[in-house]
Amino acid sequence: MSFETDADIAALTAAFRARTLPKEKWTHAAHWAAALSLVAEDEAAAFRDMPAMIRAYNESVGGRNTDTEGYHETITLASLRAVAHALSGAPKGTPLHVILSDLLAGPCGQPDWILSYWSRENLFSPEARREWTAPNLQALPW
C-alpha cells in the first residue's frame, strides 16, 4: 500500500479503525500512517485510544495480545511520540503524506529503529509489552 496522498492515509486509517484492513496490509509504513493520521486528528485521543484500537485490530485478524505477541505498549507510545514530534516540526499545512514520507525516509523508516533506544532484551520483555518502559540505551530525541 502506497501513501502518495492524504486520501491514501485516510483510507488506511478508516480500514484500520473498522478492522477491515487485511493483515498483510498492516505493514511498518501502515503503522506509521495510522499513527500520523490519528495524532493529526486529535493527539490526546490518539494516545488514549490507539492501544485499544491495535488490540482490537490484532484480534480481528486472528492475532493475540499476550506477553510475547500482539500489542506492545512501549513501541506504541514511542511511535506516537515520534509522530507527534514530526507533526509539530512540520510547517503548518504540510500534507500528511509529505510528513509520512519524511518520517519513513529517516531512522523510523527502518523496522529496527527502536533498537537504537532499547536493548532487544528490555524492549521485548513482558513488562515493556504491557506498560511504558523508559529507553535503556539512550533517551528518545523527542
Side-chain angles (χ1 to χ4, degrees):
M1 180 170 250
S2 66
F3 301 103
E4 296 176 9
T5 68
D6 285 6
D8 294 338
I9 294 172
L12 173 279
T13 304
F16 166 67
R17 276 185 159 141
R19 292 179 235 140
T20 59
L21 183 71
K23 184 177 181 177
E24 65 274 5
K25 293 196 181 226
W26 191 228
T27 63
H28 183 72
H31 279 76
W32 287 108
L36 180 62
S37 177
L38 294 168
V39 169
E41 183 179 295
D42 184 332
E43 184 175 333
F47 276 86
R48 181 190 66 231
D49 299 340
M50 192 131 183
M53 293 170 72
I54 293 170
R55 285 183 186 102
Y57 174 78
N58 288 344
E59 291 172 3
S60 77
V61 295
R64 300 176 338 150
N65 298 298
T66 70
D67 284 348
T68 58
E69 65 183 290
Y71 179 73
H72 195 296
E73 179 80 356
T74 299
I75 293 173
T76 299
L77 295 182
S79 299
L80 288 170
R81 286 175 62 177
V83 163
H85 177 75
L87 271 169
S88 69
K92 190 169 182 80
T94 302
L96 290 183
H97 72 278
V98 172
I99 297 170
L100 178 62
S101 178
D102 290 346
L103 189 66
L104 293 174
C108 292
Q110 300 303 311
D112 63 351
W113 72 273
I114 201 159
L115 294 176
S116 295
Y117 306 98
W118 282 267
S119 67
R120 187 172 292 283
E121 178 181 331
N122 283 4
L123 185 63
F124 293 107
S125 69
E127 296 77 24
R129 190 174 283 280
R130 285 189 224 125
E131 60 192 45
W132 170 257
T133 301
N136 69 316
L137 297 179
Q138 65 176 323
L140 290 172
W142 359 262

